[in-house]
Amino acid sequence: MPAERRPNRGPSAAAENRAALIAAAREVFAGAGYDAPLSMVARAAGVGQGSLYRHFPDRVSLALAVFEDSVAELEALAARPGATLDDLLALITEQAIASTAFVAMVTVPPQPDERILELRERVAELLAARLPAAREAGRIRDGVTAGDLILAVGMLALLLSKVPAPERPATAERMWALLRRGVEP
């Protein structure tokens, strides 16, 4: 059910409106696909289309804001003492299960948007920082790189985008079981 449209509070509501649009985009794109009408996102956020376009001039900008939130969540997890590579991969997997609508945009675009590449690089840096401890713990074999893990995540995400939503968690678990055979010693 769409959110009720709130009265216009002007510039003082900008941050709240932006957050509502990002949350709505995550839900609308997950349910109706990446090509869902942006008016649907605005309605779900309880704002007008003018607010949507003030914050996000195009669909890619809105999708990138959703991804930025996901990367920030990964960075927060990585900043916690004791966070492991497995912890990061588990959260990335949860995000992939929830956000399959965006997979094609970020994994195989014909001409990748520079902003997408920057987000991907931030994730690769988080994974790379955890590789030495994972090797030392016997969880990852020598030679596996952050790029290899990004490739594995991309393969997982593409697979999940083709699987019905109720089957995604079990499929992700099976896929990681297979992938781990290639990366563990």
Side-chain angles (χ1 to χ4, degrees), residues 38-169:
L38 293 182
S39 60
M40 200 174 182
V41 173
R43 269 193 311 277
V47 302
Q49 282 189 250
S51 288
L52 179 125
Y53 288 111
R54 262 191 303 282
H55 291 284
F56 306 106
D58 56 35
R59 183 177 305 275
V60 173
S61 296
L62 180 57
L64 285 165
V66 173
F67 286 131
E68 174 64 38
D69 272 11
S70 295
V71 173
E73 189 178 0
L74 286 168
E75 289 169 337
L77 174 61
R80 292 184 197 152
T84 66
L85 181 63
D86 287 335
D87 296 334
L88 290 175
L89 291 174
L91 181 54
I92 289 170
T93 301
E94 286 176 29
Q95 292 172 343
I97 289 169
S99 299
T100 59
F102 300 108
V103 170
M105 185 187 114
V106 297
T107 55
V108 287
Q111 296 200 337
D113 186 298
E114 188 63 35
R115 298 167 296 176
I116 293 170
L117 297 176
E118 289 172 19
L119 288 174
R120 189 182 304 160
E121 183 57 32
R122 284 171 52 195
V123 173
E125 289 171 7
L126 293 172
L127 296 173
R130 296 296 182 275
L131 278 171
R135 281 192 191 98
E136 191 174 303
R139 301 285 297 148
I140 297 287
R141 67 178 164 78
D142 288 340
V144 174
T145 67
D148 295 332
L149 295 175
I150 292 290
L151 178 62
V153 167
M155 292 179 344
L156 172 72
L158 281 172
L159 173 65
L160 292 176
S161 71
K162 306 297 182 196
V163 173
E167 297 174 23
R168 290 179 190 150

Side-chain angles (χ1 to χ4, degrees), residues 22-40:
I22 292 169
R26 186 182 308 274
E27 288 180 28
V28 168
F29 291 159
Y34 177 68
D35 292 324
L38 293 182
S39 60
M40 200 174 182

